[in-house]
Amino acid sequence: MSRIYLDHAATSPLRPEARAAMEEGFAIWANPSSPHAEGRKAKAALEDARERCKAALGWDGELIFTSGASEAARIAFDNADVMHEAVSAIEHDAIHGFVKERAVAEIPVGNDGQVNLTSVAQEAGPSAIAGEVVENRSLIAVQHVNSETGTMQNIAQVAEVVHGSGGLLLVDCAQSAGKMEIPKEADMVIVGAHKFGGPIGIGALLVKEFNMLTPSGGHERGYRRGTENMPAALGMAAALEADPWPNLDFSHISRFGERYEEQQPATGQSHAHHILALEHPTMSAQALLIRLDAMGFAVSAGSACSSGTLKKSRVLDAFGVDDDTASRTIRVSLGWNTTPEELDAFAEAWKSLS
């Protein structure tokens, strides 16, 4: 049987529109920073890709091309003009890693899956040093759609609290960009192209205004080192402009999730339909992955950055999911080339597992 790929939260196959755009970009082979005619042609193509990405995402601010979502997060944390930083407990490892690396504060989530707004207000407010209130800004990072469970945050509500306390809001949209509208209330947004059918090795940090960041020198308005990947930027723009669900209407996605309501661990009430955390009643996640792989289905046990470990998922732990349930939970994620027939086939395969 032909294999069925249901691990789009890890990466999606390259869209044909993106491949074609990249091939055109490779023909414009010069360095976009070179002053000669060839370089200016490459620069024009890069800037065209930038404006097309912004238009497709509905973003009125600035866009810095990066090597992916992880670098976008690094630029935000390293260059944001702030004095304090905090991230939610269910962030992707690329962001949550800052908790230990640079003593970043952690914001818990409640039983509804949403970040604790009282904690958000406390972390976003002015810092107190030696008993005196210091006027400065904090950077608060919150993921739009969780990469392991599909849980969605109420970004408008979070932004109201963060901005009311004088902070800046960084939103990781790696799992939502190209699939749903990105939250315009954010001050900065993280995007990774390979999550929506663009090429691996390109992403972006969206910024409302450059005065939120301090440049460190180099390309991309002085915010990153290394020659810009112009062909990949063109591929990213083409992927964003393409129909995000050409083979699957939204109602079918919704019905797919509804089939598994009793098999979803308690990870909040608001979910994106293209990422599902499924709990099997008896089989371990590792056994499920092996069985499903042998049956022709590619799924995962969580984030691709942490699925190689047998440790309990940090994200499920933050949601309060017990160890036994977490050990029997896998992730199924849909993408641009998923078909209704593939979803039906997985539903039958899941029912057959014992």
Side-chain angles (χ1 to χ4, degrees):
M1 62 174 291
S2 60
R3 292 187 58 80
I4 294 176
Y5 185 79
L6 296 174
D7 195 21
H8 291 264
T11 196
S12 272
L14 186 65
R15 299 193 63 136
E17 300 93 337
R19 184 185 299 275
M22 291 179 70
E23 290 176 352
E24 294 179 7
F26 287 131
I28 311 171
W29 45 265
N31 190 318
S33 297
S34 297
H36 44 62
E38 290 82 358
R40 294 195 302 273
K41 185 176 181 180
K43 181 69 169 181
L46 180 70
E47 294 309 314
D48 176 63
R50 192 187 314 276
E51 293 306 314
R52 288 165 58 196
C53 286
K54 287 167 57 176
L57 291 167
W59 186 255
D60 294 330
E62 308 292 345
L63 185 150
I64 301 168
F65 281 121
T66 67
S67 62
S70 294
E71 188 194 6
R74 172 63 67 176
I75 291 173
F77 275 85
D78 285 351
N79 297 78
D81 184 18
V82 297
M83 296 291 291
H84 179 66
E85 301 160 336
V87 307
S88 87
I90 57 174
E91 294 302 296
H92 187 276
D93 284 351
I95 291 180
H96 194 268
F98 293 126
V99 171
K100 292 183 178 179
E101 177 184 326
R102 51 205 290 166
V104 173
E106 183 178 273
I107 300 170
V109 296
N111 293 332
D112 60 354
Q114 302 298 300
V115 293
N116 185 294
L117 294 179
T118 299
S119 296
V120 169
Q122 291 173 345
E123 298 295 344
S127 299
I129 301 179
E132 298 181 0
V133 174
V134 179
E135 293 297 332
N136 58 55
R137 291 190 293 192
S138 296
L139 179 67
I140 307 298
V142 176
Q143 197 174 45
H144 188 199
V145 173
N146 185 264
S147 58
E148 292 190 33
T149 67
T151 303
M152 294 183 64
Q153 297 296 320
N154 187 334
I155 298 300
Q157 192 176 50
V158 175
E160 183 177 359
V161 174
V162 171
H163 294 154
S165 299
L168 297 179
L169 178 60
L170 169 67
V171 179
D172 178 5
C173 289
Q175 297 295 346
S176 58
K179 300 167 186 173
M180 60 183 67
E181 185 176 356
I182 63 172
K184 306 305 188 298
E185 302 89 350
D187 298 296
M188 289 180 270
V189 170
I190 294 168
V191 176
H194 72 108
K195 304 295 187 181
F196 50 76
I200 292 174
I202 189 74
L205 176 65
L206 312 183
V207 186
K208 275 191 175 178
E209 298 176 355
F210 277 138
N211 63 11
M212 296 177 175
L213 302 172
T214 300
S216 55
H219 299 288
E220 286 299 291
R221 277 63 169 183
Y223 292 103
R224 73 179 299 264
R225 306 289 179 177
T227 302
E228 297 97 335
N229 190 347
M230 178 269 294
L234 291 172
M236 176 176 170
L240 282 170
E241 291 169 343
D243 183 355
W245 304 103
N247 303 312
L248 199 67
D249 63 47
F250 191 79
S251 63
H252 200 99
I253 299 175
S254 301
R255 289 196 300 272
F256 178 68
E258 290 169 359
R259 294 184 183 187
Y260 302 98
E261 287 180 349
E262 294 182 359
Q263 287 87 41
Q264 295 182 50
T267 53
Q269 297 178 345
S270 180
H271 285 80
H273 294 294
H274 60 281
I275 300 178
L276 296 175
L278 298 181
E279 170 201 353
H280 193 273
T282 59
M283 295 181 64
S284 71
Q286 294 300 317
L288 287 166
L289 297 187
I290 294 171
R291 288 282 300 276
L292 287 167
D293 189 47
M295 296 168 71
F297 297 92
V299 297
S300 70
S303 169
C305 297
S306 59
S307 60
T309 176
L310 294 177
K311 295 180 180 178
K312 178 183 177 181
S313 163
R314 170 181 53 78
V315 169
L316 295 181
D317 191 51
F319 277 115
V321 176
D322 64 85
D323 291 355
D324 180 56
T325 298
S327 71
R328 294 180 281 103
T329 298
I330 65 168
R331 179 185 69 181
V332 178
S333 49
L334 320 183
W336 65 269
N337 63 345
T338 307
T339 66
E341 292 76 18
E342 290 176 336
L343 299 188
D344 291 339
F346 178 80
E348 292 302 313
W350 183 260
K351 287 191 298 183
S352 72
L353 292 171
S354 60

